[in-house]
């Protein structure tokens, strides 16, 4: 289909039109984004500097931090600028770019989390084979596959969305260029595009959840069979952070897409979107640092070195 687009820009309605709420929201999102930057960059730097963290688990964690930072950065600065300056317009190309990068990195996270679950399965259920199973090549392949499939998914659906025609309607009922929110504005037949998006997204999410569920089912069975209390505690602690991150990420997605249609509203979508675009990227480094002795130990080591160098 030939693209006969006439729209040159879109208008993002944002979170609120109330001027009294815009400054408080800007301050709140600025704090959230600052914590996201410091937390995720901090995790990546710690893993890079501390050789004790050069393991498959922390390799995946550093990639998760990178992905969280990137997909939050695709949305949050633009939202903050809109709140501060009151500029709701976004150009056609900028909207396409924001849509692509958010969809790409969110999809990469959807593939990374099952890879991390498999890593925890091997660590707990097959500890004697861990080093021979989770080799550098296997870890690199899992991570690379996550990026390839994530960017492929985003390329297909962003390209499909912007191959549609946009004639007059250009008001996006959202605070960023999410695929469904932009696709609904098209004046051409979007039925096939919507079906492809719905089924492709559902398939990817369901496959990820199934892999995670099976991994944790075997992990919990193995933990219940453990006779040593120290082994029991170690197995629980090694999985607790990842399980918490998985629960938050997929819990939000399930809340958004599986809620009854009678209770489904744009305001609910916006609140849930704030959570998974801004809050989750902030929470993940906190979850992994607060619940992880090795990360806290590495942080103390870096702080001590910094004090000694300054003193």
């Amino acid at each position: 289909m030939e693209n006969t687009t006439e729209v040159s820009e879109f208008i993002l309605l944002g979170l609120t039109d109330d001027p009294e709420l815009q400054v408080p929201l800007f301050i709140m999102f600025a704090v959230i984004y600052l914590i996201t930057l410091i937390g995720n960059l901090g995790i990546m730097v710690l893993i890079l500097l501390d050789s004790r963290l050069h393991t498959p688990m922390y390799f995946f964690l550093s990639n998760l931090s990178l992905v969280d930072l990137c997909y939050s950065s695709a949305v949050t600065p633009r939202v903050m600028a809109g709140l501060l300056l009151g500029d709701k317009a976004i150009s056609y190309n900028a909207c396409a770019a924001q849509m692509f990068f958010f969809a790409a990195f969110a999809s990469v996270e959807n593939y990374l989390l099952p890879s991390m679950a498999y890593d925890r399965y091997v660590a707990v259920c097959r500890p004697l084979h861990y080093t021979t199973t989770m080799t550098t090549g296997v870890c690199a392949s899992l991570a690379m596959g996550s990026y390839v499939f994530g960017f492929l998914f985003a390329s297909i659906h962003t390209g499909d969305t912007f191959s549609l025609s946009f004639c007059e309607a250009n008001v996006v009922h959202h605070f960023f260029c999410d695929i469904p929110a932009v696709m609904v504005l098209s004046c051409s037949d979007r039925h096939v595009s919507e079906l492809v998006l719905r089924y492709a997204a559902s398939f990817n999410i369901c496959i990820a959840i199934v892999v995670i569920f099976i991994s944790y089912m075997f992990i919990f069975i193995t933990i219940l069979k453990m006779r040593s209390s120290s082994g029991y505690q170690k197995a629980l602690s090694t999985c607790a952070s990842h399980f918490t991150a998985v629960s938050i990420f997929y819990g939000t997605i399930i809340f958004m897409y599986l809620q009854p249609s009678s209770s489904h509203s744009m305001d609910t979508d916006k609140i849930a979107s704030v959570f998974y675009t801004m809050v989750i990227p902030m929470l993940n480094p906190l979850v992994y640092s607060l619940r992880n002795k090795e990360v806290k130990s590495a942080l103390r080591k870096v702080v001590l070195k910094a004090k000694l160098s300054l003193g």
Side-chain angles (χ1 to χ4, degrees), residues 134-147:
M134 299 304 295
T135 61
T136 302
V138 169
C139 294
S141 297
L142 288 171
M144 188 61 67
S146 298
Y147 285 98

Side-chain angles (χ1 to χ4, degrees), residues 142-163:
L142 288 171
M144 188 61 67
S146 298
Y147 285 98
V148 169
F149 284 109
F151 276 75
L152 181 62
F153 177 89
S155 298
I156 291 171
H157 294 292
T158 303
D160 186 37
T161 300
F162 282 92
S163 69

Side-chain angles (χ1 to χ4, degrees), residues 7 9-14 78 87-91 169-174 177 185:
V7 169
E9 67 177 16
F10 294 96
I11 305 298
L12 298 172
L13 283 187
R78 182 66 186 77
D87 182 13
K88 296 185 177 183
I90 183 170
S91 70
N170 71 336
V171 179
V172 181
H173 291 267
H174 216 317
C177 290
L185 300 178

